[in-house]
Amino acid sequence: MHTALIIAVAKLENDPDYKAYTNGRKIERRVQELLTTTCIDLSAGGGLPELHQFSNHFTDYRIVVYSDLNEQSIMFDSGSLDRKCIYL
């Protein structure tokens, strides 16, 4: 999830490292920076509490997570319709 968030934000912000991230280059360092900055520990996995922490960090974005491919199956939605959307 954290990798997908980084890639989605990089795409929306036209980050010059976007292609490197999608190819698995430079992403590990960026993931570590994100986890350190947000104080999120994913060693035991992640869930709704971690999604809330990510949404508190990415305040310019609305994060929507689906539990399956059905668009009605929203598992998490950080709200605020006026922000850029990241669908996972």
Side-chain angles (χ1 to χ4, degrees):
M1 172 109 27
H2 51 291
T3 303
L5 282 170
I6 290 170
I7 291 171
V9 170
K11 174 72 173 173
L12 291 170
E13 293 182 355
N14 295 314
D15 185 323
D17 289 328
Y18 168 73
K19 290 234 185 220
Y21 294 157
T22 61
N23 291 324
R25 296 186 322 271
K26 298 186 180 182
I27 192 78
E28 187 175 329
R29 179 175 42 91
R30 184 67 183 96
V31 165
Q32 280 309 115
E33 290 171 359
L34 174 63
L35 296 178
T36 299
T37 301
T38 58
C39 299
I40 295 175
D41 177 10
L42 295 176
S43 61
L48 291 177
E50 289 77 17
L51 283 170
H52 284 283
Q53 285 179 271
F54 283 129
S55 70
N56 289 336
H57 177 74
F58 291 109
T59 57
D60 292 341
Y61 299 94
R62 176 181 176 207
I63 300 170
V64 180
V65 180
Y66 296 92
S67 60
D68 61 36
L69 296 176
N70 181 345
E71 65 184 45
Q72 303 298 319
S73 309
I74 295 176
M75 182 178 92
F76 176 83
D77 187 344
S78 64
S80 195
L81 299 174
D82 61 335
R83 296 186 275 174
K84 299 174 192 173
C85 254
I86 298 173
Y87 298 102
L88 304 172

